[in-house]
Amino acid sequence: MFWKKKDEDFNDPSQFENSKIEETYNPTDHASLRSRPDTIDLQEGMKRGLHARHIQMIALGGAIGTGLFLNSGGNIATGGPAGAFIAYCVVGFMVYCIMTCLGEMATYMPVSGSFNHYATQFVDPALGFALGWNYWFSVCAVTIATELAAAATIISWWKPVMPDPAWSTIFMVLILAINLVGVRLYGELEYWFALIKILVVIMFIIVAILVTTGAVGSLGAIGFKYWNDPGAFVDTEVNGAVGTISVLLSAGFSFQGTEIVGLTAGEAKNPTRTIPRAIRNTFYRIVFFYIVTIFLIGLCIPYDDPQLAAGENSTTASFTLIFQRANMNGGAHFVNVIILLSVLSAANSSLYTTSRTLLGLARDGNAPRFLGKTNRFGSPYYAVVISSISGFACVFASIYSAEEAFVWFMSITAVSGFISWWGIAFVHLRFRRAYIAQGRRLEDLPYRAFAYPYSGIFACVLTVLIILGQGYSAFIPWDAITFVTLYIGIVPVFICYFGHKIVRRTKVTPLLEVDFETGRVHHEDVVADAEETPNFKWYQQILAWIF
């Protein structure tokens, strides 16, 4: 268990036991929204019910969703096949860097709350407060709302049996029930959701290869024909640069959700083995499922195809268009089913992440304490219910007449995912600096990030450029309303950070005073995890790597 207790000294690591780890709490340095008891268990009531196969699929499922199925065609229409390919390569590499940064911290300290807890413990409680609430608002208010509204719209595409709010209510109740039962059911459902999406993408890649080589369909061998005519980049005054930058921004939105692996660390069995394995495989899966898919779409369909730019539903999605070119009837219905499963999976994952974020905030003293309570299944039921109510309220705001207000609300939270990514990379840089400053051995880290410190610096710089560059359309020509709409999302984070610092008077924790003992794993934990890991045969290892 992971405990926090006041007035204890952490200079001697030998005082910590595997079953109980204690931390000094100073009421000035570690601000609370309300008074706390002397002892707080960071993992109280939580159950480590996620097995290695669950973590693997959750890591992959977070990178495959509507962004790939619906938005990929529009990105090629905007930047051209080469522009989209370059953008996805750059963002995919950035995401891998961020995931390795998160993986190093999550395997060393596998507790609930993930990166907002790490920000509180390694940098400044005010930063943890700002990152945690920023992430909760963005996922809860926008992702849950948009995914539930999209699910209702998809059902209506076949036949409008019931009003959209009725379908959204049904889906919300189901997702709420799943998250109240416990993490094992959530992990099992996500496992099968992700497996279906993987199989669909693999099937799509095979069909796309057959189309571009002329093995199926009536177009003959295509090859790089469309890279020459109409071209590899969209023809603009700046040779496609603006289109490529635009795709860079939208590609970042498509990858958001991969950080959920860090949030599962507190409920993962054998975290020192399962989390690093999931992180390592993320790179290859990003390459295979995103970059290869974008490349093949760019080969099969010219960027000036009017249907490609209008890929807002399953009838004009790039996957459907390629199935049609292969003379496969019913492609729209098939893609629609997969999109429905994807949005329900995304909504399910969003409720999981928001509830665990609230749990972490509560146990860090950055949210009311009752949000940290769990039921007998290990689910933080208050956090789940409050997150679902907040998200559901936004569903009705998106469905009914408050469209303009909802657009502004989405603008406030649109860049929140990039801010969270920046926070992960920045906190990791601070984590490693403090770790080395205290004379600790790098060999004691169960997993080390790729190319430190360059990977973290690259991720920090690129996320900042994306956050600042996402509003370039407001400058050409200048539009004050568009400028405010696109950049207002940065304001709440600064309000949370400086507001917390002013009210609680928190300070940045000095490098030599950063606590690396509370919640950490020890050598015997790593050995125990290794002993519990089964020895697979060679063919089982191949299947385990894929799935």
Side-chain angles (χ1 to χ4, degrees):
M1 308 296 289
F2 306 109
W3 296 76
K4 296 181 177 180
K5 190 174 181 179
K6 296 181 181 178
D7 300 321
E8 293 286 345
D9 185 14
F10 290 98
N11 292 330
D12 182 11
S14 65
Q15 65 180 296
F16 300 96
E17 300 177 357
N18 287 339
S19 60
K20 194 173 291 187
I21 302 176
E22 299 182 344
E23 174 186 3
T24 302
Y25 250 83
N26 184 303
T28 302
D29 294 338
H30 297 271
S32 301
L33 293 181
R34 56 176 65 195
S35 60
R36 311 166 148 233
D38 286 344
T39 305
I40 295 177
D41 185 353
L42 288 176
Q43 291 293 102
E44 180 182 2
M46 305 300 293
K47 298 183 183 296
R48 294 190 177 273
L50 293 175
H51 295 274
R53 64 187 183 91
H54 297 142
I55 301 296
Q56 291 290 315
M57 282 302 187
I58 289 172
L60 180 56
I64 299 177
T66 53
L68 180 64
F69 294 124
L70 289 182
N71 298 338
S72 53
N75 290 332
I76 292 175
T78 300
F85 179 75
I86 293 171
Y88 272 80
C89 286
V90 172
V91 175
F93 180 70
M94 179 193 72
V95 170
Y96 175 69
C97 291
I98 292 171
M99 293 297 291
T100 62
C101 293
L102 180 59
E104 180 175 307
M105 297 184 290
T107 50
Y108 182 81
M109 194 169 291
V111 297
S112 298
S114 191
F115 50 87
N116 53 286
H117 173 74
Y118 302 144
T120 298
Q121 191 155 330
F122 304 142
V123 185
D124 182 356
L127 182 61
F129 178 87
L131 288 178
W133 283 109
N134 165 77
Y135 189 72
W136 183 83
F137 277 120
S138 66
V139 178
C140 178
V142 174
T143 306
I144 294 178
T146 53
E147 300 296 351
L148 289 178
T153 303
I154 291 169
I155 294 290
S156 299
W157 180 82
W158 280 299
K159 188 176 182 180
V161 179
M162 291 190 296
D164 286 357
W167 283 115
S168 297
T169 303
I170 293 172
F171 293 140
M172 187 73 256
V173 171
L174 290 174
I175 292 170
L176 175 62
I178 292 169
N179 280 270
L180 286 175
V181 170
V183 71
R184 180 65 184 272
L185 178 59
Y186 161 78
E188 202 65 41
L189 287 173
E190 286 304 303
Y191 175 86
W192 292 107
F193 277 142
L195 180 59
I196 292 172
K197 289 187 285 187
I198 290 171
L199 295 176
V200 169
V201 174
I202 291 175
M203 183 179 70
F204 168 79
I205 289 174
I206 294 173
V207 172
I209 292 174
L210 294 176
V211 170
T212 193
T213 56
V216 297
S218 57
L219 298 176
I222 299 174
F224 285 86
K225 172 184 176 181
Y226 298 134
W227 284 52
N228 295 318
D229 182 20
F233 296 92
V234 173
D235 186 17
T236 66
E237 296 179 357
V238 287
N239 298 322
V242 172
T244 302
I245 294 173
S246 178
V247 175
L248 191 72
L249 305 178
S250 59
F253 287 106
S254 299
F255 280 104
Q256 287 182 11
T258 51
E259 69 282 348
I260 190 177
V261 176
L263 288 167
T264 63
E267 296 173 275
K269 288 187 176 181
N270 310 326
T272 61
R273 296 278 295 182
T274 56
I275 300 299
R277 180 182 166 197
I279 298 296
R280 280 193 294 267
N281 291 341
T282 297
F283 176 76
Y284 305 105
R285 288 163 175 172
I286 286 174
V287 170
F288 184 75
F289 291 109
Y290 257 100
I291 296 177
V292 171
T293 299
I294 286 293
F295 176 72
L296 289 173
I297 294 173
L299 290 180
C300 294
I301 307 175
Y303 74 75
D304 58 356
D305 189 310
Q307 289 183 301
L308 195 67
E312 298 177 353
N313 56 60
S314 57
T315 59
T316 55
S318 55
F319 278 46
T320 304
L321 296 178
I322 291 179
F323 285 140
Q324 290 174 350
R325 288 174 179 244
N327 295 329
M328 297 177 65
N329 297 325
H333 293 278
F334 177 74
V335 173
N336 219 36
V337 171
I338 301 306
I339 294 172
L340 178 61
L341 293 177
S342 297
V343 298
L344 292 178
S345 173
N348 188 34
S349 295
S350 297
L351 187 55
Y352 172 84
T353 57
T354 53
S355 62
R356 270 52 180 187
T357 300
L358 275 187
L359 172 73
L361 286 168
R363 294 186 175 179
D364 280 334
N366 290 326
R369 281 177 49 203
F370 74 89
L371 294 174
K373 293 183 178 181
T374 57
N375 59 20
R376 63 189 180 92
F377 301 110
S379 172
Y381 56 99
Y382 281 122
V384 171
V385 171
I386 288 178
S387 296
S388 62
I389 292 174
S390 301
F392 195 52
C394 294
V395 172
F396 283 87
S398 66
I399 292 176
Y400 288 110
S401 57
E403 180 178 352
E404 185 175 348
F406 188 71
V407 168
W408 276 90
F409 193 73
M410 286 191 66
S411 299
I412 294 175
T413 55
V415 297
S416 297
F418 296 98
I419 294 172
S420 297
W421 282 354
W422 172 87
I424 292 170
F426 176 78
V427 171
H428 175 258
L429 291 173
R430 171 80 175 180
F431 167 87
R432 184 69 80 86
R433 283 188 61 202
Y435 190 88
I436 296 174
Q438 294 185 15
R440 296 174 179 269
R441 291 163 24 103
L442 292 178
E443 292 75 13
D444 293 335
L445 292 172
Y447 172 79
R448 277 181 272 178
F450 165 76
Y452 172 85
Y454 306 107
S455 58
I457 294 173
F458 170 75
C460 282
V461 171
L462 189 55
T463 50
V464 169
L465 291 177
I466 290 176
I467 291 171
L468 297 179
Q470 53 94 23
Y472 74 92
S473 59
F475 297 93
I476 310 174
W478 169 252
D479 187 328
I481 296 178
T482 302
F483 174 82
V484 173
T485 303
L486 293 175
Y487 287 102
I488 194 174
I490 305 174
V491 176
V493 180
F494 286 99
I495 293 176
C496 288
Y497 178 76
F498 289 107
H500 190 276
K501 288 193 75 68
I502 293 171
V503 173
R504 294 297 176 181
R505 299 179 182 178
T506 62
K507 296 180 180 179
V508 175
T509 306
L511 294 177
L512 297 179
E513 296 179 18
V514 170
D515 173 24
F516 283 103
E517 294 301 326
T518 300
R520 65 159 293 185
V521 297
H522 294 273
H523 176 70
E524 51 266 35
D525 300 316
V526 178
V527 173
D529 285 354
E531 291 176 349
E532 292 183 23
T533 303
N535 294 320
F536 291 126
K537 296 180 180 179
W538 64 269
Y539 63 89
Q540 291 175 317
Q541 292 178 355
I542 294 175
L543 292 175
W545 183 87
I546 297 174
F547 299 118

